[in-house]
């Protein structure tokens, strides 16, 4: 049977517990739903479909729920991951500080060319901000990754965050594909490794900001 | 699209004729709560099988949480796909019991809207009673 999509990306959500989940609960505040049942079990992953440059992309998005307690995540979990969303809560400074720990963990266990993005989430309606946008932008620049800030008030923009990450993964894949094609041709250039460990000097264009509620 | 493809043999009831076209779902399957797209038209097959699903809505204070029992109902008609990536948007819960994962809306997380047994990697079911349709 023909595939109904062009790309399939496995993405991970990583961050301290609670940084994104609380806002999800907002949508249950009218209380009609059996939220207790689903939230007691917990969500393993979600499949989402987006379109980029006319291509259909399936995203399989995994949450670390439960595992982050141990501050490290097993290698098995990282296996095959092509993109990682590093999430902190802008009203919780500790969760921001821990982003560095998470990045170290990723460098140890994940593929060296995995795309990363930092998201500052504001779950609370009341702004009790502890981490400034500038602080977060600076950290993102240090690691050469993109940064975005989100707010639970405007849930539909969650798609945009994943869109950005997916776009970067797709660009990297297409570039590699291009290199492989060129490699077989007559004017092959020396192998240039794109997007490997040396990602630190990548430019961080961190100025887009959007928001989401349904993190996972 | 083609709504008059009713010539094919359908063992199910009359109402199913409106549901299917060429043996697949005639309309797009969407979340009953937030209208998030779950399955595009003509991607799922209608099947009859009995499966117990916990209720999506529960009244406060009346659940059997203390006793550990889950209130639910036996459902018998489902949309089936054989590959999880056929879904446009869907969420999977963690495994319950030894092998069951419930399916939920990816956006509003209402559910369970469906069911999957991890021992059967080619069966993903969405309950017809728990979704809506759209063109």
């Amino acid at each position: 049977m023909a595939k109904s999509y062009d790309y399939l990306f496995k993405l991970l959500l990583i961050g301290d517990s609670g940084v994104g989940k609380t806002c999800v609960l907002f949508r249950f505040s009218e209380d009609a739903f059996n939220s207790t049942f689903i939230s007691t079990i917990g969500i393993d992953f979600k499949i989402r479909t987006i379109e980029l440059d006319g291509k259909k992309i399936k995203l399989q998005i995994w949450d670390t729920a439960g595992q982050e307690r141990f501050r490290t995540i097993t290698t098995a979990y990282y296996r095959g991951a092509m993109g990682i969303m590093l999430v902190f809560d802008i009203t919780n400074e500790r969760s921001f500080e821990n982003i560095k720990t998470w990045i170290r963990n990723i460098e140890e266990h994940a593929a060296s060319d995995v795309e990363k993005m930092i998201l500052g989430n504001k779950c609370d309606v009341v702004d009790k901000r502890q981490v400034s946008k500038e602080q977060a932008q600076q950290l993102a620049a240090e690691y050469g990754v993109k940064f975005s800030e989100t707010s639970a008030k405007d849930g539909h923009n969650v798609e945009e965050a994943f869109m950005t990450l997916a776009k970067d993964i797709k660009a990297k894949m297409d570039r590699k594909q291009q290199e492989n094609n060129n490699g077989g041709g007559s004017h092959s250039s020396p192998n240039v490794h794109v997007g490997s460990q040396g990602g630190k000097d990548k430019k961080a264009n961190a100025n887009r900001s959007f928001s989401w509620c349904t993190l996972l | 699209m083609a709504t008059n493809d009713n010539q094919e043999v359908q063992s199910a009831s009359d109402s199913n004729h409106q549901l299917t076209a060429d043996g697949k779902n005639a309309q797009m399957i969407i979340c009953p709560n937030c209208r998030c797209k779950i399955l595009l038209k003509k991607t799922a097959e209608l099947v009859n099988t009995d499966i117990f699903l916990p209720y999506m809505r529960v009244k406060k204070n009346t659940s059997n949480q203390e006793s550990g029992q889950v209130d639910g109902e036996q459902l018998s008609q489902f949309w089936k796909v054989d590959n999880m990536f056929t879904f446009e948007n869907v969420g999977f819960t963690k495994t319950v019991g030894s092998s069951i994962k419930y399916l939920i809306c990816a956006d509003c997380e209402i559910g369970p809207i469906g069911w999957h047994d991890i021992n059967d990697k080619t069966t993903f079911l969405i309950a017809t009673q728990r979704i809506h349709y759209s063109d």
Side-chain angles (χ1 to χ4, degrees):
Chain A
M1 205 177 73
K3 264 192 197 168
S4 58
Y5 54 90
D6 302 296
Y7 294 85
L8 171 60
F9 296 161
K10 178 182 172 182
L11 309 181
L12 306 183
L13 284 175
I14 287 180
D16 286 3
S17 57
V19 292
K21 318 251 159 35
T22 14
C23 68
V24 170
L25 296 175
F26 275 94
R27 288 163 306 121
F28 293 118
S29 57
E30 283 161 67
D31 126 285
F33 305 135
N34 194 354
S35 57
T36 43
F37 177 70
I38 298 295
S39 58
T40 307
I41 307 171
I43 298 163
D44 211 8
F45 63 87
K46 285 180 180 175
I47 290 166
R48 289 183 179 276
T49 307
I50 61 170
E51 231 174 80
L52 272 180
D53 312 325
K55 302 285 184 189
K56 212 165 191 191
I57 302 178
K58 296 279 175 179
L59 306 178
Q60 189 186 38
I61 306 166
W62 292 76
D63 187 17
T64 54
Q67 294 190 53
E68 71 266 27
R69 228 175 297 147
F70 308 109
R71 258 311 134 62
T72 59
I73 290 186
T74 59
T75 310
Y77 188 77
Y78 284 114
R79 195 166 295 137
M82 298 147 98
I84 298 178
M85 287 280 195
L86 285 145
V87 189
F88 72 92
D89 178 355
I90 65 164
T91 66
N92 176 348
E93 192 173 2
R94 201 187 149 94
S95 72
F96 176 66
E97 290 304 321
N98 282 333
I99 290 289
K100 293 174 196 162
T101 316
W102 287 118
I103 289 181
R104 271 200 299 279
N105 196 238
I106 291 167
E107 283 170 350
E108 243 172 78
H109 298 287
S112 58
D113 63 346
V114 68
E115 282 292 332
K116 297 181 283 287
M117 183 167 170
I118 298 175
L119 286 186
N121 189 28
K122 188 180 107 186
C123 293
D124 217 320
V125 176
V126 188
D127 196 345
K128 289 174 274 185
R129 182 190 281 273
Q130 292 183 354
V131 182
S132 75
K133 207 167 182 172
E134 291 68 33
Q135 268 177 289
Q137 278 167 342
Q138 199 185 329
L139 182 77
E142 261 171 54
Y143 287 102
V145 300
K146 289 182 182 174
F147 164 70
S148 270
E149 211 165 80
T150 66
S151 151
K153 280 182 189 162
D154 194 359
H156 68 271
N157 279 340
V158 61
E159 202 174 325
E160 236 178 299
F162 286 108
M163 209 70 124
T164 303
L165 190 59
K167 203 178 284 176
D168 290 347
I169 297 169
K170 180 175 174 292
K172 181 180 282 178
M173 279 179 81
D174 292 347
R175 216 157 47 218
K176 279 186 179 167
Q177 184 70 40
Q178 191 69 35
E179 278 168 31
N180 288 345
N181 291 348
N182 289 345
S186 53
H187 47 108
S188 62
S189 54
N191 251 351
V192 182
H193 285 281
V194 183
S196 58
Q197 292 102 313
K200 299 247 160 72
D201 55 6
K202 258 189 273 169
K203 66 176 185 306
N205 45 21
N207 284 327
R208 300 176 69 192
S209 67
F210 36 70
S211 48
W212 89 101
C213 189
T214 315
L215 227 198
L216 170 64
Chain B
M1 273 174 85
T3 49
N4 272 338
D5 268 340
N6 289 341
Q7 271 115 340
E8 86 246 62
V9 182
Q10 283 281 341
S11 55
S13 66
D14 281 351
S15 61
N16 290 347
H17 285 281
Q18 295 149 13
L19 290 179
T20 58
D22 299 329
K24 301 277 179 131
N25 54 310
Q27 285 185 294
M28 183 160 69
I29 293 168
I30 61 170
C31 171
N33 178 50
C34 71
R35 304 183 60 85
C36 176
K37 289 181 196 173
I38 299 166
L39 282 165
L40 297 182
K41 62 176 76 172
K42 296 189 175 177
T43 55
E45 184 191 340
L46 198 59
V47 295
N48 292 308
T49 177
D50 287 335
I51 286 169
F52 176 88
L53 287 184
Y55 288 125
M56 297 207 289
R57 292 161 189 273
V58 284
K59 291 183 197 119
K60 258 190 177 164
N61 307 322
T62 57
S63 71
N64 288 327
Q65 273 167 331
E66 286 87 18
S67 65
Q69 268 185 344
V70 181
D71 288 332
E73 62 190 333
Q74 196 86 6
L75 296 172
S76 56
Q77 194 181 47
F78 294 84
W79 290 110
K80 174 182 182 269
V81 297
D82 57 15
N83 182 334
M84 69 165 84
F85 297 111
T86 303
F87 288 109
E88 283 296 290
N89 300 286
V90 79
F92 284 70
T93 66
K94 293 191 186 304
T95 307
V96 180
S98 59
S99 64
I100 302 307
K101 282 183 181 295
Y102 292 109
L103 308 188
I104 61 170
C105 170
D107 270 352
C108 72
E109 296 178 357
I110 194 174
I113 54 169
W115 185 94
H116 170 61
D117 183 336
I118 58 174
N119 293 320
D120 181 355
K121 302 222 182 308
T122 58
T123 301
F124 302 85
L125 300 173
I126 295 285
T128 55
Q129 283 187 31
R130 297 199 173 181
I131 45 93
H132 285 177
Y133 300 98
S134 171
D135 281 325

